[in-house]
Structures are given as structure tokens and as C-alpha cells.
Amino acid sequence: MKRIVVLSGAGLSAESGLGTFRDVGGLWSQYDLADVATPEGFARDPALVHAFYDARRANMAGARPNAAHAALARLSGRDDVTLVTQNIDDLLERAGARSVIHMHGELSRALCAVCGHRWDAPPVMEPAAPCPACDAAATRPDVVWFGEMPYHMETIERALGDADLFVSIGTSGTVYPAAGFVEAARMAGAETLELNLEASGGRFDAVREGPASVVVPDWVA
Ligand code: BJW
């Protein structure tokens, strides 16, 4: 049995209308990541950070999964496939995918910064809203900011160590630890394939360039 690890990034959801980060006009050209995607930025100005994620939650609610999400949903749930995403949107789940590993968290979830309790996020988050478990007024989005440990790393590292094929979809490969998965998979003996609008830079055995809505269904078929 060929074991496959799929890693997706913002390019997977670009054609659903959700912005990428580092492309021209991307989120990091509109916002300073130090202000909205670090614990320090949240401590300085929680209202700004909540407004950033509230707006993205509203965009997500109005977006629809595209053909690439649907193709990955068909792969999901197979014993030989591990689906890891850096995306915090729920478009894979809404396309029917099961067992998606959200290594950078989920926009639809809230996290108490004091006790670690998690719950479904309301459309608009109030920083002063009390945690349902401990009552602390320290609600934050359940997402992984720079300097924080991504989620499910043990599970992901185990899957990479067993992989025969590693497929990277729509990610620039600039943010670690996800950017290092291709080397980890190669060290384990896996073949590596990139599906991206434009190749991210020569670290893969093979590259198929094109929009995710085309190249992902072609690969899955
Ligand atoms: C299409 C397309 C279409 C477009 N079809 N494709 C120096 C060296 C090494 C590391 C560090 C360093 N200094 C600091 C670090 C660590 C830091 C890091 O990596 N920094 C780098 C910037 C250098 N990393 C961290 O802090 C992480 N934590 C950590 O390392 O903990 C310690 C640790 C130690 C040991 C083991 C494990 C951990 C945490 C990183 C958290 C990232 N958080 C964000 C924001 C939160 C979530 C959110 O708001 O959404 O996550 S940043 C942002 O970037 C977001 C994304 O998930 C992430 C990746 O972006 P992605 O998906 O690649 O998007 P883009 O925009 O970059 O690329 C889009 C791609 O799509 C492009 O390639 C396009 O071509 C393509 N595309 N349209 C197909 N239609």
C-alpha cells in the first residue's frame, strides 16, 4: 500500500475567493503580520486581531468549496492518506472531507488563552467574553500564530516518516515547520510532488503547475 501525505496551503482555497498571504495583493500586503498573527500583537491590540479574524470568518461563511477541495474529499478517510492543511478555513470539511489535520488551527473555533478550553466560535468574537469553562475573559481565535507550536506535530511527523508519496498543494513553502515536510518525507524515502499555480522553488521530484481546481482533480483522478 502506497502511503500518501498531502499538505495544502492558501492556494487550495484561492479560487473559492479566500485570499492567500504572500501573493501580490495577499493578506500580508494589507496587514502587518506582527500585528495580527503573533501573540505579542494580540496582547497589544486584541480588538484589531479579532476584527481581522472576524472578517476572515465572514468571508469563509460566504465562500464555497472548489473542485480541488472536492477532489481531496474523495481521497480523505482512506487508511493510506493523511490530509494535513495549513488553512484555517472549513472548505475541505464542507466538501465532505474527513479527518483533516488543521496544523494552524481553525477559524470556526475559539480558544481560552488561560485554561486552553476550546469551543465553537461565534461569528464575531468578544475578547471580554467569558470562557465557558473557567470564566476568564481571554478569548482568542484557535489559530497558530508565529512563535507558537503548530498542532498535531507528532501525528504529522509519524505520517511523514511512513510516507511513500508527499504532495504539496498551493503553499509557498515559506513557513516552518510545514516548509520542512518535503525534506522530512524525502529523508523517509518518499517521492515528492508539488501542485501549485507556480512552482515554489525546486525542492520537489516533480511539479505540476496550474490552478488547484484543475491540477488537483487531475492528480486525484
Ligand atoms: C495557488 C493558487 C491557485 C495561489 N492554485 N496554487 C527562521 C528560520 C526558520 C523558521 C523561523 C525563522 N524565524 C521564525 C521561524 C519560525 C516561524 C517561521 O516559519 N517563519 C518564517 C516566515 C521564516 N514559524 C513559526 O513560528 C511556527 N511555529 C514554530 O515554528 O514553532 C516552533 C516549532 C519547533 C519545532 C517543531 C515545530 C514547531 C508557527 C507558524 C504559524 C503560521 N501562522 C499563519 C497565520 C495563522 C493562521 C491564519 O491566520 O490563517 O499561518 S502565517 C500564514 O502562513 C498562515 C498560513 O497557514 C501560512 C502558510 O502560508 P501558505 O499557505 O503557504 O500561503 P502563501 O500565501 O504563502 O502561498 C500561497 C501559495 O498558493 C503560493 O505558492 C501560490 O503560488 C499558490 N497559489 N493561487 C494553486 N489558484
Side-chain angles (χ1 to χ4, degrees), residues 9-12 14-15 20-23 28 37 52-53 56 86-88 104 143-150 153 157 170-177 195-198 200 210-212:
L12 177 68
E15 290 161 85
T20 62
F21 296 93
R22 297 169 185 83
D23 294 317
W28 295 159
F52 175 69
Y53 284 99
R56 290 178 61 197
Q86 297 168 87
N87 298 346
I88 62 174
H104 289 166
V143 301
V144 177
W145 289 321
F146 285 102
E148 297 184 322
M149 183 65 81
M153 285 306 297
E157 278 162 8
T171 173
S172 60
T174 48
V175 175
Y176 286 85
L195 308 178
N196 201 323
L197 198 56
E198 290 173 13
S200 66

Side-chain angles (χ1 to χ4, degrees), residues 82-171:
T82 303
L83 215 52
V84 182
T85 189
Q86 297 168 87
N87 298 346
I88 62 174
D89 67 62
D90 61 0
L91 295 181
L92 278 168
E93 284 84 356
R94 281 159 57 198
R98 286 176 288 148
S99 309
V100 181
I101 298 175
H102 282 273
M103 65 177 291
H104 289 166
E106 293 177 74
L107 207 38
S108 60
R109 302 283 285 166
L111 168 68
C112 173
V114 170
C115 76
H117 181 69
R118 292 183 163 85
W119 67 99
D120 286 341
V124 174
M125 264 198 218
E126 299 293 338
C131 166
C134 77
D135 232 27
T139 300
R140 57 168 282 182
D142 188 11
V143 301
V144 177
W145 289 321
F146 285 102
E148 297 184 322
M149 183 65 81
Y151 298 157
H152 312 295
M153 285 306 297
E154 274 183 31
T155 306
I156 296 168
E157 278 162 8
R158 208 175 314 120
L160 290 168
D162 286 342
D164 300 300
L165 174 63
F166 173 75
V167 184
S168 169
I169 300 173
T171 173

Side-chain angles (χ1 to χ4, degrees), residues 15-65:
E15 290 161 85
S16 294
L18 302 186
T20 62
F21 296 93
R22 297 169 185 83
D23 294 317
V24 174
L27 286 169
W28 295 159
S29 67
Q30 302 162 47
Y31 298 88
D32 185 336
L33 69 83
D35 288 338
V36 295
T38 63
E40 295 77 15
F42 185 63
R44 271 197 306 275
D45 192 347
L48 173 76
V49 177
H50 278 298
F52 175 69
Y53 284 99
D54 288 347
R56 290 178 61 197
R57 198 175 297 108
N59 284 346
M60 174 177 89
R64 294 288 168 268

Side-chain angles (χ1 to χ4, degrees), residues 177-199:
F181 291 175
V182 58
E183 274 80 25
R186 179 176 295 114
M187 294 280 285
E191 285 175 44
T192 61
L193 169 66
E194 176 172 33
L195 308 178
N196 201 323
L197 198 56
E198 290 173 13

